[in-house]
Amino acid sequence: VFDACDRDGSGSISASELSTLLFTFYRGESDENRVRMIFDCVDLDASGFVSFDEAKMMIRGLLSMREVLLEHGGDGNMMDSMDAIASAAGSYQKKAQEVSDPEKLKKIRLQDLRQRYRKFRGKKDATLSEILDYEAGKLSRDLFFEADTVDQDNKISRDEFVQWINTESNASKKFMHLFASFTELMGEQQLK
């Protein structure tokens, strides 16, 4: 995510780069321009194509916001929104109303995430990082299955990406929601 914002490769994100990202996403840009900007963020090597690894890296980075929010007692509504990206809402909200200790809430949320995926149900030691890697891989596979349709060359062109977003499939909606959550969180941090 950092690399996507650091478009000049300087090793730091300038106010201009962050402002450009937030402005493009929030203010008056056409949907087409937003999608093109998002494509440029995912195309980390600026090759004009998105590889599976680039997509997974970007999605994993975006999903990491949930990890940061969880670790630092972030906004519960934002975490709930991010949880819904990956799967249907779990039992966390109901339990969260009954518990006020932040450490207990972290444990409940992680337990809830483990229960959502059959792969992790029996693994009480599964970490949030493992779950995020799994979610990123799943959404990346969906992206490639749905978007790499023109020549099936295991890379997605800008046109394929734009077409995929415009299909408004479940996976493309999740991806756009994930990116919107990122820009919302960055916008809130910018305001502070």
Side-chain angles (χ1 to χ4, degrees):
V1 175
F2 182 93
D3 290 342
C5 291
D6 180 24
R7 296 313 293 172
D8 65 3
S10 67
S12 62
I13 300 172
S14 68
S16 171
E17 287 168 326
L18 182 58
S19 296
T20 299
L21 176 71
L22 296 173
F23 183 80
T24 301
F25 207 80
Y26 279 122
R27 307 248 193 319
E29 287 291 329
S30 69
D31 286 341
E32 184 177 328
N33 285 345
R34 280 189 201 130
V35 172
R36 290 182 188 285
M37 183 265 314
I38 293 169
F39 177 87
D40 290 343
C41 287
V42 180
D43 180 18
L44 295 174
D45 65 1
S47 67
F49 294 94
V50 172
S51 69
F52 179 82
D53 288 340
E54 286 175 320
K56 186 175 178 185
M57 186 183 315
M58 179 55 129
I59 292 169
R60 174 59 170 89
L62 292 169
L63 286 168
S64 293
M65 288 184 298
R66 183 169 50 195
E67 192 171 18
V68 171
L69 288 167
L70 183 60
E71 274 305 305
H72 300 287
D75 183 320
N77 290 333
M78 176 71 81
M79 284 189 283
D80 290 340
S81 178
M82 293 196 66
D83 286 351
I85 292 166
S87 61
S91 58
Y92 173 80
Q93 264 185 339
K94 182 179 177 187
K95 291 177 185 174
Q97 294 169 353
E98 301 166 3
V99 177
S100 59
D101 179 19
E103 288 303 313
K104 285 184 181 178
L105 286 173
K106 283 183 200 177
K107 289 178 182 176
I108 290 169
R109 185 173 289 278
L110 184 54
Q111 179 183 23
D112 186 50
L113 285 170
R114 287 182 189 128
Q115 289 302 312
R116 291 182 195 196
Y117 300 104
R118 185 174 296 142
K119 175 180 179 161
F120 297 108
R121 284 189 187 142
K123 294 178 74 177
K124 293 188 187 276
D125 61 339
T127 65
L128 181 58
S129 184
E130 288 176 292
I131 295 168
L132 296 178
D133 285 342
Y134 176 78
E135 290 175 341
K138 186 175 182 319
L139 186 52
S140 298
R141 282 187 296 280
D142 291 347
L143 185 160
F144 268 78
F145 177 76
E146 294 176 2
D148 188 21
T149 57
V150 175
D151 48 18
Q152 296 179 335
D153 58 354
N154 292 321
K155 53 187 178 180
I156 298 171
S157 69
R158 183 181 299 236
D159 289 340
E160 288 174 318
F161 187 80
V162 170
Q163 283 180 327
W164 175 67
I165 293 295
N166 288 333
T167 65
E168 295 192 13
S169 70
N170 193 31
S172 71
K173 285 179 184 177
K174 285 180 180 181
F175 182 84
M176 290 300 285
H177 185 75
L178 187 57
F179 208 92
S181 295
F182 169 71
T183 56
E184 182 180 331
L185 182 64
M186 293 303 291
E188 286 176 11
Q189 295 304 312
Q190 187 80 342
L191 294 173
K192 292 178 183 178

